Structure formats: structure tokens, C-alpha cells
Amino acid sequence: MDILCDFEPAVIQKLDPVVVNKIAAGEIIKRPANALKEMIENCLDANSTAIQITVKSGGLKYLQIRDNGTGIRKDDLGIVCERFTTSKLKQFEDLQSIATYGFRGEALSSISHVAHLTIQTKTANDKCAYKASYEDGRLKGDIKSCAGNQGTQITVEDMFFNMSQRKQLFKSASEEFSRILDVVSKYAIHNANVSFTLTKQGENVALRTPINSTKQDNIKIVYGADVVNEMKTIECQDEPLQFKMYALATSVKYSSKKFTFLLFINHRLVESTAIKNAIDQCYAPFLPKGNHPFVYMDLQIEPKNVDVNMHPTKHEVNFLYETEIVDKIRWAFEGKLVGSNETREVYTQQLLPGASNPGDVNGDQASQGKETKVYAKDMVRSDSKEQKLEKFFGKSFAKDSQDNTETTINVSFESEFTLNDNNESNLVGRKSFILPARTNGDVKRKQTKLTSILTLRKKIESRCDGKLRQILADSNFVGCINRRQSLIQSGSNLYICDVQKLSEELFYQLLMYDFENFCEIRFENPLSIKDLAILALNNEESGWCEQDGPISELAENVEEALIKKADMLREYYGLSISSSGHLETLPLILDNHTPSLGHLPMYILRLVTEVDWAKERQCFETFCRETAMYYARTTLIIDECEWKWLIEHVYYDNIKKYLIPSAQLGTLLLPVANLQNLYKVFERC
Ligand code: ADP
Ligand code: MG
């Protein structure tokens, strides 16, 4: 006997649209904070400047959001909550250029499927406000006129009243409230021009940010002063990749067990594991294990490269060129962290256990103060009043440096030096290392007798950090990261090395050691100092303002001032200025290196304004600093192949051979990985 199934197959039926919509709505609105995020975005899309939010029971009982934006037209109130109704998107192609937050016309509709929804709104043209209630995407009852201000007020009550299972999931109103607070806080920080107020009904204000505030101020309100005090601005952009990034990130002095990462891509609060991980990795070498930074990031990507149409909750944003963009962001962060002074302690701690505080290395406090001089990266004057050009004219030049020359020959002093141009050197007591000779085949080098130069050389040597010198001497070039940074390996450690900054120090030292022995780079057509000065003064970087006097007059002063110094500059540095005021030669400091012509005008101007010509030692020191800064500035117009070659074979090779590093320069060498540890990791894989 056949055993037949007693059950009839179930009849397949088309689902009631209300059920379909409810399922979809539940996908979008998973909790009160989701609904609120959608509604905040609507307020911002409507150009509001003040947004007030009131909640009860974590938004489950009551959630109201009021704005002062454009309002909704009365004619639209009938359909505003129907699914796929929007004022922001007309055809699929529009998705590619969408700049507003919402685009699907799904938020209000979804909310109306899971809660009681009431809208009260008034546009600028309406005489009164209108109020309407909605249920399952449709208008419930009539649209009533009432009194009210311009803007929109949306009230959501009894969320998930019709979804008993979902409702049971929410046990804690306080947890829902903290999610709401989180969403409001983040949007308040990103939209600092808009004021946000969040209130628990019947209680005090939980969060208030003022109108036209700053992101920093709002971060302080939400996350506290500790975060803001240690915050830096990090920016990068790339034209080919069509993106722009602005971040406020804590320095390595700050750390927290929790990684707070606020990411806005095209003004939408989203998450990106790729970016988050990349940033966390940048900080990892600096922070104690298990600790993280605070980072707010505003990332703007060409809208057509962003796929916003990915998930109804729109948290996940995919974008084109993700790897490349993440790399650029990582470099921007690394650059800021590696170059920062704050890394100093970390360096000492990680690289040189037991090393003395870099500040103590020399004990020469007075000369250390001098080190706080402005370097290339800070060369733009922010306040032109601080350093007026006239300050440098007349006064400094009235005094001839000859009056102050320190020409005494101090034999006993000189004999302290064991460094000379032809021999290996054993420098200053405990800090011993090998410094190769820099003879360039020229055995007849002049030995200077100027005490000032000898003192400055001694200063360099006494600050030398033996371990760092060893790291450089043992190192090999791995590759360029960008125009500033390269990867080098020394022993089993990999370092990110700020080649540009190190080369600035190298140029400074070479200027000290090759004193009176420079070969020259000759201009076929000598350049008029006056013309160069005019070019520089017209450049914003010079900080020139009308009170400084007419540019042509100032340029003449520059010319006159430098002509006076011409003999000295020619004899000591191979920098030749003719009596007619033409620049004929510049010193050749490193073979195969020509300083950038683009930066030459500024250099000439700064020779007059920044060099302390009055006293001999200060004069040499500041002249060499300015010249080093100029020589380390790379020409932007050369192509990638060329700068990579220069960095490896001119800058790095010479740094490795000749740089006498002070402990302070350790901040420019960031240990990123230990190869033995890496090999262990690979073995396990
Ligand atoms: P979307 O934002 O994707 O267009 P929503 O469902 O969030 O879809 O909103 C539907 C429409 O309602 C919007 O396109 C907008 O015209 C209108 N709207 C919603 N909230 C506001 C508001 N606070 N101010 C002005 N208009 C609003
Ligand atoms: Mg919307």
C-alpha cells in the first residue's frame, strides 16, 4: 500500500503590499537611532540651522525632531510617506551625482510602517503650518492647518507597536538613548554650523551645541578637553583619485582603550573597516598595546565614484580606488605622526632603551633654544606683523660683520678635534663611530681657523647619537614611500625615514664642514638679485604688506645688502654675487644635486631677512640653516623617476655616509617593523 502524504501543498500567494513594506521597513529602521539618523539627514537636506530632538524611553515611546528648514509643501503632504517618494532623486543616473543624504524616499515611509508618525510643517510661503498623521505609508485623516514656525517637526510614537517580537528585543531604554546620543553627537560635530539640542523629555538637556560653532569646540563638548588638547589637523587630497580628506586626530600622546572613529564620507556618517584599520595601524607603533586614538574624518570623494546604493541602512559605503585612497590617507597620517615632536619619547622608549632624554644630550641649553628656529615646513608666515621686513634693513646691515669677527686662533680648542677630512674619526669620547672621509679626491682642502666655525662643528659632534649613527651606517635603502619619506632597513628593523628633514640637517652639516672648500654651480646667465627679490616679495610666502614699503625699494635694499656681503659669501661658500648685483654661482654641496630654481627667490630674500649678519657665529649658523633649508626643498616639477633616483642616490646615500645625527633626529626615523618578528608571523601563516 502506498504511503501518501496527507498534507496538501500550501498555496502560493502574493504577499499583501502592506506586509512587504513592513518587512522592508523593519530592515531600514532597526532601532530608534536609525530612524533618528534618517530624520537628521532630512533636516540637513532641508538647510536647517537648528535641530531640536526630544526623546522618551530611548526613543521607543516618543521621538520628536524639529528643524527650521525649508518645510514641506502642503501639496506634498499627501504622498510624503509613501514608499519611494522623494524630492531628491528623479532617475537612476542621479544616484551618480547625489549630494544630499536621503535618496530613496524610504525613510519616512518605513517609519510610518513601524510607528505612529505625525508631521507638522510650514514653508516660508505658507501663512500657517499644516499637520498630518500617517499609517503604513498613507495619510491618516485630514491635513489640518495650525499655528507654527517655519520648518518641520516630525513626531514618532510607540515605535514597533505593531511588531511585538522586535519590541521585545529592546530591553533597555538607556542603551537606545546612548545610541541616539552617539548619532546626534557625531552629526553635531560634523555640522558645526548647525545647532543641535537633545533632550530627554522632562529632564535636562543631554547635549547642546551652539550654532556656528567649530568642530573642535563640539568635539570638546562631546568627548572632553583631553581629546581636543592633543588634536592635530591632518589633510590630504589627490586630483587623479578625486578625493579630499580632512581629519582631526589625536597625537601619539593621547591614547584610549576604545578607538573612537567618526567617519563621514560625502557628509554621510558611515563605517569603513579598511580606513579604520589603516589608521589604527599608523598609531600602533606609538601607542601602548591595546590603545587607540580619537579620529574624526571628513572624506569627500567624487560622488560618481561612491556606490551609495548598497544597503538600505546606507552604513556601508563602497568606493572606487579604495586601496589607493586608503594608502594616501595612511601616508598622510604617518607623515604627521612620524614628523611630530611627540614621537620623540616614543622613539627613545622603543629604539634606545636607557637612552637619555634627547633634551639632555648636550646640556647646552642656550644653543638648544636656537633649534626652535623656523624650518622649511613652517616657512609661511601666518602673521606678517610679527616680522616686518624693515626690521631687517638698516639695523642689521649698519654693522659690518668684520667688526665682530672671532678670528682668534684657539689652538688648544682645535686640537680637541679628532675629526679631519682624510681620516676616520673617533668623536668625542663615549660616542664613537666611524665617519668616512669626504675628500672628493681633493687633498688640498683648506683648514679653517675660524673659531666660530670650529665651535659650530663641535656642537654638531657633541650632540651625535652613536646608536643612531650606527643605525644609519648599517642601513639599506628599501624604497620611496613618497617625496618625503622612504623605507630603510637596518639590522632586522624596518624604519620609515623622513629623508627630506634628514637631508636638511645633512646640508647644514656639509655647509659647516666644507666651509671655504665649495665647488660652484655657475649660472650661464647671472640672475639679477633685485629681480629675484621682487619675485619673492610678490610671493605670498614673503608676508609682504603695504606698510613694508614699495616692493622695488625693498628689492633694492636686498640687492645692496647682499652686495656688501658678496666677498665673504664668495670666499667661504662659493656663492658669488657680482658688484652689479647679479647672482653668478651657488655652492655645490652634493654631487648631482642642484637646488630648486623655483625656491631661489625666497632663499635670496630670506638671506637678508632671516640671517643674523651682525655676529660672526650666529651669521654662519643662520646662513647655513637657511641655505640647508633651501637645498632640501625639492623641485616639484621633476618626474617620479627622477625624484626617486635623487632620494635614493643623492639624499639617502649621503645621509647614510655623512650625517652626524643628534638624538633629536631620531624622531625622523620611525621603527615600523622588526623583520624577525615578521618572519615569525609568516612562518605561522
Ligand atoms: P529621502 O530623504 O530619501 O527623499 P525620506 O523618506 O527621508 O526620503 O523623505 C521624503 C521626502 O520628505 C524628502 O524627499 C523631502 O522632500 C521631505 N522631507 C522629509 N523630512 C523633511 C524635513 N525635515 N524638511 C523638509 N522636507 C523633508
Ligand atoms: Mg531622507
Side-chain angles (χ1 to χ4, degrees):
M1 191 183 130
D2 287 346
I3 302 171
L4 290 172
C5 179
D6 280 347
F7 297 108
E8 291 285 316
V11 180
I12 297 176
Q13 287 177 325
K14 199 173 166 87
L15 276 178
D16 182 341
V18 174
V19 178
V20 175
N21 287 341
K22 200 164 282 174
I23 293 170
E27 275 296 305
I28 296 173
I29 310 298
K30 289 201 178 298
R31 51 195 343 148
N34 298 142
L36 182 62
K37 176 176 182 262
E38 293 295 328
M39 292 191 290
I40 292 177
E41 291 182 345
N42 285 343
C43 302
L44 294 166
D45 282 342
N47 296 323
S48 312
T49 57
I51 299 174
Q52 285 172 286
I53 298 144
T54 312
V55 302
K56 208 163 120 182
S57 297
L60 289 161
K61 271 241 128 325
Y62 182 89
L63 177 62
Q64 186 187 72
I65 177 162
R66 180 159 17 133
D67 69 46
N68 61 352
T70 56
I72 302 170
R73 295 174 337 121
K74 186 190 175 205
D75 289 352
D76 292 339
L77 278 178
I79 57 158
V80 70
C81 283
E82 281 178 24
R83 205 170 170 205
F84 308 129
T85 44
T86 174
S87 55
K88 301 163 194 170
L89 173 77
K90 294 197 176 62
Q91 42 198 347
F92 186 78
E93 286 68 40
D94 290 352
L95 268 181
Q96 295 198 333
S97 57
I98 194 91
T100 47
Y101 293 103
F103 62 89
R104 295 161 172 265
E106 277 190 285
L108 290 185
S109 161
S110 304
I111 296 168
S112 78
H113 276 94
V114 300
H116 301 301
L117 180 92
T118 312
I119 300 179
Q120 181 182 318
T121 188
K122 180 182 174 306
T123 65
N125 293 331
D126 287 333
K127 299 237 161 13
C128 63
Y130 296 97
K131 194 172 182 173
S133 293
Y134 300 85
E135 189 180 75
D136 292 337
R138 272 185 233 111
L139 187 64
K140 197 172 89 181
D142 299 328
I143 300 172
K144 295 185 191 105
S145 52
C146 60
N149 296 330
Q150 189 191 322
T152 305
Q153 172 181 309
I154 298 184
T155 312
V156 180
E157 285 166 287
D158 288 323
M159 197 174 281
F160 307 121
F161 73 96
N162 51 1
M163 300 171 90
S164 51
Q165 278 172 326
R166 174 72 61 91
K167 208 173 167 189
Q168 280 169 7
L169 287 177
F170 299 104
K171 295 219 175 69
S172 147
S174 66
E175 152 131 39
E176 293 315 305
F177 182 76
S178 67
R179 286 174 189 263
I180 285 177
L181 179 63
D182 191 57
V183 167
V184 179
S185 305
K186 288 173 176 169
Y187 274 91
I189 288 166
H190 184 68
N191 302 279
N193 54 327
V194 178
S195 96
F196 282 79
T197 313
L198 170 65
T199 318
K200 262 191 202 172
Q201 203 177 51
E203 290 185 29
N204 288 342
V205 171
L207 175 76
R208 172 175 291 144
T209 61
I211 189 166
N212 291 330
S213 174
T214 64
K215 293 180 191 219
Q216 282 88 340
D217 282 345
N218 288 357
I219 291 175
K220 191 169 171 183
I221 292 172
V222 177
Y223 295 98
D226 281 0
V227 174
V228 183
N229 292 344
E230 290 305 334
M231 214 156 57
K232 297 161 168 294
T233 305
I234 304 178
E235 285 174 284
C236 70
Q237 63 180 60
D238 189 277
E239 258 172 51
L241 293 172
Q242 296 178 293
F243 86 95
K244 202 159 90 185
M245 187 277 296
Y246 169 91
L248 292 168
T250 46
S251 77
V252 296
K253 281 190 189 158
Y254 171 93
S255 68
S256 159
K257 290 272 171 248
K258 188 167 165 251
F259 185 3
T260 311
F261 183 45
L262 280 64
L263 173 64
F264 285 82
I265 297 186
N266 295 353
H267 306 293
R268 200 186 297 270
L269 178 64
V270 291
E271 271 156 37
S272 159
T273 334
I275 300 180
K276 194 174 180 181
N277 288 346
I279 290 175
D280 212 19
Q281 280 163 16
C282 291
Y283 280 88
F286 299 103
L287 302 184
K289 207 161 182 250
N291 277 252
H292 310 275
F294 168 96
V295 177
Y296 156 82
M297 184 180 290
D298 173 4
L299 182 58
Q300 294 185 36
I301 304 179
E302 170 60 38
K304 71 175 182 342
N305 293 343
V306 185
D307 180 9
V308 279
N309 190 21
M310 205 189 137
H311 189 264
T313 57
K314 293 178 255 165
H315 283 304
E316 289 285 337
V317 170
N318 278 358
F319 48 93
L320 275 179
Y321 316 119
E322 189 178 88
T323 323
E324 291 85 350
I325 291 178
V326 171
D327 276 348
K328 295 262 172 192
I329 293 174
R330 183 185 296 124
W331 292 341
F333 272 76
E334 273 168 0
K336 217 36 190 237
L337 298 180
V338 176
S340 70
N341 281 339
E342 289 89 324
T343 61
R344 194 175 304 160
E345 291 154 32
V346 181
Y347 164 77
T348 323
Q349 181 192 319
Q350 290 208 336
L351 206 63
L352 302 175
S356 55
N357 178 345
D360 298 332
V361 169
N362 193 12
D364 179 356
Q365 294 303 329
S367 54
Q368 271 176 29
K370 201 76 197 164
E371 289 288 312
T372 55
K373 211 178 139 23
V374 183
Y375 287 137
K377 72 170 175 49
D378 309 314
M379 275 172 73
V380 182
R381 257 181 235 166
S382 52
D383 184 358
S384 56
K385 281 185 232 94
E386 270 175 30
Q387 273 190 318
K388 283 275 179 61
L389 286 171
E390 67 256 32
K391 184 175 136 199
F392 302 97
F393 295 113
K395 206 170 67 187
S396 316
F397 285 95
K399 225 172 188 180
D400 194 311
S401 72
Q402 291 303 314
D403 298 344
N404 297 290
T405 39
E406 305 171 50
T407 41
T408 344
I409 304 168
N410 186 339
V411 184
S412 65
F413 180 41
E414 197 182 22
S415 65
E416 275 179 44
F417 286 85
T418 47
L419 176 84
N420 65 40
D421 296 300
N422 303 313
N423 299 320
E424 287 180 345
S425 314
N426 185 351
L427 285 174
V428 207
R430 66 199 154 86
K431 293 170 192 130
S432 66
F433 62 89
I434 307 297
L435 191 75
R438 215 180 101 78
T439 59
N440 291 341
D442 174 11
V443 274
K444 280 200 216 83
R445 286 171 65 89
K446 282 191 207 160
Q447 300 289 333
T448 188
K449 300 270 189 291
L450 289 185
T451 316
S452 53
I453 290 293
L454 298 177
T455 311
L456 288 168
R457 286 182 187 169
K458 189 175 180 204
K459 188 163 138 188
I460 295 173
E461 287 148 24
S462 66
R463 286 183 178 186
C464 178
D465 184 300
K467 284 186 185 158
L468 257 186
R469 174 87 281 270
Q470 205 59 52
I471 289 173
L472 287 175
D474 294 344
S475 71
N476 286 310
F477 192 81
V478 178
C480 293
I481 298 173
N482 52 37
R483 280 177 188 244
R484 235 187 67 200
Q485 296 170 310
S486 292
L487 204 58
I488 64 166
Q489 181 187 342
S490 185
S492 58
N493 284 315
L494 275 179
Y495 299 87
I496 294 176
C497 171
D498 191 331
V499 178
Q500 192 186 344
K501 280 265 156 211
L502 289 179
S503 63
E504 189 178 316
E505 183 60 27
L506 176 74
F507 281 123
Y508 172 78
Q509 296 181 359
L510 295 178
L511 279 157
M512 286 296 163
Y513 286 99
D514 287 351
F515 188 77
E516 292 183 70
N517 288 290
F518 287 99
C519 294
E520 293 157 355
I521 302 168
R522 185 165 290 279
F523 291 102
E524 214 172 310
N525 299 309
L527 302 166
S528 150
I529 294 287
K530 196 178 156 193
D531 289 350
L532 289 170
I534 290 174
L535 273 177
L537 287 162
N538 277 313
N539 184 336
E540 221 177 88
E541 208 180 307
S542 71
W544 174 85
C545 61
E546 263 170 51
Q547 293 98 298
D548 296 330
I551 284 186
S552 62
E553 216 171 276
L554 292 172
E556 269 164 34
N557 290 347
V558 171
E559 183 187 76
E560 195 185 324
L562 289 182
I563 289 176
K564 274 196 197 155
K565 305 291 161 200
D567 291 346
M568 180 192 89
L569 292 175
R570 189 178 305 116
E571 184 182 345
Y572 294 155
Y573 293 104
L575 190 155
S576 167
I577 294 168
S578 70
S579 53
S580 66
H582 284 78
L583 180 66
E584 297 169 330
T585 64
L586 282 174
L588 174 73
I589 306 183
L590 281 180
D591 288 343
N592 291 316
H593 177 267
T594 322
S596 140
L597 275 185
H599 297 302
L600 181 61
M602 259 333 275
Y603 168 61
I604 291 296
L605 178 65
R606 287 178 65 93
L607 281 187
V608 176
T609 59
E610 310 296 317
V611 174
D612 179 359
W613 296 95
K615 298 198 192 85
E616 185 182 298
R617 183 153 65 88
Q618 280 83 340
C619 166
F620 290 140
E621 188 171 21
T622 49
F623 171 83
C624 292
R625 279 281 163 225
E626 283 303 321
T627 309
M629 204 192 294
Y630 166 51
Y631 273 60
R633 290 183 97 174
T634 43
T635 314
L636 289 173
I637 44 173
I638 58 174
D639 67 21
E640 186 172 324
C641 229
E642 217 171 324
W643 64 255
K644 282 192 168 160
W645 187 90
L646 264 177
I647 285 174
E648 181 174 354
H649 298 289
V650 178
Y651 294 128
Y652 166 75
D653 279 354
N654 286 294
I655 288 169
K656 172 178 166 152
K657 270 197 236 156
Y658 302 120
L659 185 72
I660 306 176
S662 69
Q664 266 166 322
L665 292 185
T667 58
L668 306 176
L669 265 186
L670 165 73
V672 278
N674 178 286
L675 292 179
Q676 271 154 0
N677 293 345
L678 272 187
Y679 292 147
K680 276 187 215 142
V681 174
F682 287 134
E683 268 165 29
R684 258 185 259 133
C685 291

